[in-house]
Amino acid sequence: LAQVDSCSTPRLSRAQRALTAQQQQPTNQLVSAMPKKGAAKKVEEPKIEEVEDEGEVDESGVEPKDIELVTSQTSCSRSKAVAALKANNNDIVEAIMQLSSS
């Protein structure tokens, strides 16, 4: 059997206590930083500019496959998909969520 240095055992206990205290500290800070009931902040969503469903749409800066995916998932027009993608910095998920909620 290996011998354990008697001096290292108290250090280990102190280290364990310190680690436990550190692990609990962030939880306490998170709880105290939570907003109170009824204090919810309204997050402003990017607005989709009104577009006509007919005619040419400026698709510059938007990938055609992204447009197809958004239109297939939301059953919206191609122009609305382009506008949503542009309003959400080409973030497909955000564009789909925005079109689905409106």
Side-chain angles (χ1 to χ4, degrees):
L1 291 175
Q3 286 186 324
V4 176
D5 184 2
S6 62
C7 293
S8 65
T9 304
R11 287 185 194 165
L12 183 60
S13 296
R14 278 185 263 151
Q16 286 176 332
R17 284 192 299 262
L19 181 60
T20 302
Q22 285 177 343
Q23 289 172 341
Q24 291 174 350
Q25 187 177 12
T27 304
N28 295 338
Q29 289 173 350
L30 286 175
V31 170
S32 64
M34 290 177 60
K36 305 293 181 213
K37 266 190 174 178
K41 293 181 181 177
K42 185 175 180 181
V43 177
E44 257 186 64
E45 293 183 15
K47 294 183 180 177
I48 301 174
E49 58 186 69
E50 292 296 320
V51 290
E52 294 180 21
D53 288 341
E54 299 176 23
E56 290 294 315
V57 178
D58 180 20
E59 297 178 3
S60 61
V62 182
E63 293 288 326
K65 63 180 179 171
D66 295 349
I67 300 168
E68 295 297 326
L69 181 59
V70 172
T71 56
S72 69
Q73 291 296 313
T74 60
S75 301
C76 71
S77 67
R78 188 169 182 88
S79 59
K80 283 187 178 182
V82 170
L85 284 163
K86 286 184 175 184
N88 289 289
N89 297 319
N90 291 326
D91 187 321
I92 299 168
V93 174
E94 290 295 325
I96 291 172
M97 288 174 53
Q98 185 174 7
L99 288 168
S100 297
S101 67
S102 59

